[in-house]
Amino acid sequence: MMNEFTQVLTIGGSDSDGSAGIQADLKTFQANNVYGMSVLTAAVAGNSYGIHDQMLMPKSFIENQIKDIKDDFKVSAFKTGMLSDSNTIKTVAKQIEDKQFGFFVLDPVIITKHGDMLLEQEAYKTLIEDLFPLADLITPNYYEAQKLSGLELNSKDEIINAAKILQELGPKNVLIKGKHSKNETTDVEDYVLLEDGTSFWFSQPFVDTEHINGTGDTLSSTIVAQVALGKNLKESIEYAKKFTYQAIKNVIDVGHKYGPINHFIKNDII
Ligand code: PXL
């Protein structure tokens, strides 16, 4: 019965405060009952006030981590998070183009909600050219969708257009996460454009809290987990939205500023 338990992987950065990056992904995998693994691309020194230092992993070390996982495990789905620069993106792209890790969710991590840059500007083009064509799903937030599509997103029509533009760049499916600013009382609306051309909006009430670190990571890693467990993509996205909403709503008191969301959420309340 070896290698039968559902196995998933995140390729991304470590966040020392445990709220985001691979730590958020691994906690999410655990909460979703899948076995999580991580390949480290970078590490940040940060806490709930922000990020104060960053360090990139050498190319050979990234390659060796991926090789070790390939040599021993059966990964059903995976995601990428913080990839820092063109070199890192190219290294990862080369290692995953054989499609051994199954369904690929690309979270194009560019900037944190608090303005810290996690991807250099010179790397946007590499992300699009080298990784977009390999992705089964990309999950840009509002800001990232603007940067990557070149459009300003002030209306629903513009979001729909941006999703089409992004899909034409290679990823099979596109999820653009809605904007949620403190002054807005409206729901947060995400837009999904699927491979077959169907699309839908997914709306969730805005939760007024500063504990939102790791929201995007948690959403994409829940999708990875649910796809790996056998749900179709639409169901996986719907589930991930509900999981992340509960994780934001059920605040835990950790850190003094922009705290983490709650990964102790159990499947039975979704
Ligand atoms: O949430 C985006 C993110 C991804 N990866 C790392 C991070 C963050 C945000 O802080 O630190 C390593």
Side-chain angles (χ1 to χ4, degrees):
M1 290 305 246
M2 288 294 280
N3 266 326
E4 295 237 324
F5 199 84
T6 303
Q7 298 157 45
V8 296
L9 170 68
T10 176
I11 301 176
S14 160
D15 189 346
S16 55
D17 81 351
S19 69
I22 62 158
Q23 283 85 354
D25 295 334
L26 291 171
K27 290 173 189 179
T28 304
F29 292 154
Q30 186 81 10
N32 280 273
N33 293 317
V34 291
Y35 181 80
M37 290 171 267
S38 56
V39 164
L40 203 62
T41 55
V44 308
N47 56 25
S48 71
Y49 292 95
I51 287 172
H52 305 111
D53 200 3
Q54 304 190 17
M55 184 179 158
L56 274 55
M57 296 300 131
K59 182 177 174 208
S60 61
F61 186 63
I62 296 172
E63 285 168 351
N64 287 339
Q65 292 174 82
I66 295 179
K67 180 178 183 309
D68 272 352
I69 290 178
K70 278 188 185 166
D71 284 350
D72 200 12
F73 297 89
K74 174 81 194 83
V75 175
S76 300
F78 75 110
K79 64 163 274 191
T80 54
M82 179 181 180
L83 295 175
S84 303
D85 66 0
S86 279
N87 255 339
T88 307
I89 294 170
K90 283 186 182 295
T91 303
V92 170
K94 208 166 167 13
Q95 298 297 310
I96 63 172
E97 67 189 4
D98 60 12
K99 309 251 174 199
Q100 263 200 52
F101 291 149
F103 195 90
F104 172 24
V105 179
L106 191 171
D107 187 0
V109 173
I110 291 182
I111 188 172
T112 71
K113 291 199 177 54
H114 320 301
D116 298 301
M117 298 309 293
L118 298 180
L119 183 72
E120 287 176 16
Q121 201 155 349
E122 57 82 24
Y124 296 178
K125 201 165 159 261
T126 317
L127 189 77
I128 290 171
E129 285 176 1
D130 291 32
L131 266 194
F132 269 30
L134 298 174
D136 291 295
L137 172 70
I138 58 167
T139 62
N141 62 26
Y142 182 83
Y143 175 87
E144 291 155 354
Q146 292 199 132
K147 286 275 165 212
L148 296 167
S149 70
L151 291 186
E152 272 207 35
L153 305 182
N154 296 313
S155 68
K156 280 191 159 184
D157 280 348
E158 281 162 341
I159 292 171
I160 292 169
N161 272 341
K164 280 198 198 109
I165 289 174
L166 293 174
Q167 195 181 45
E168 275 161 19
L169 294 170
K172 293 194 176 76
N173 303 278
V174 177
L175 160 57
I176 298 182
K177 294 175 279 189
K179 191 157 73 165
H180 37 119
S181 72
K182 240 186 157 357
N183 307 321
E184 277 176 30
T185 47
T186 50
D187 287 356
V188 181
E189 290 197 279
D190 293 2
Y191 179 70
V192 181
L193 175 60
L194 295 177
E195 189 176 5
D196 64 6
T198 57
S199 61
F200 60 98
W201 291 90
F202 198 95
S203 104
Q204 205 101 72
F206 174 67
V207 182
D208 191 4
T209 171
E210 295 208 312
H211 286 235
I212 50 162
N213 279 0
T215 304
D217 315 67
T218 302
L219 182 81
S220 53
S221 46
T222 309
I223 297 170
V224 166
Q226 294 301 321
V227 168
L229 288 168
K231 282 202 176 82
N232 72 34
L233 182 57
K234 186 172 181 197
E235 289 164 351
S236 299
I237 292 172
E238 284 170 349
Y239 187 92
K241 286 298 299 174
K242 290 186 195 152
F243 181 90
T244 308
Y245 173 69
Q246 291 296 341
I248 297 171
K249 201 172 139 209
N250 293 282
V251 177
I252 50 168
D253 194 7
V254 180
H256 291 87
K257 185 77 173 151
Y258 303 112
I261 64 174
N262 179 357
H263 293 107
F264 295 96
I265 294 303
K266 292 278 173 268
N267 291 320
D268 52 5
I269 74 157
I270 308 300

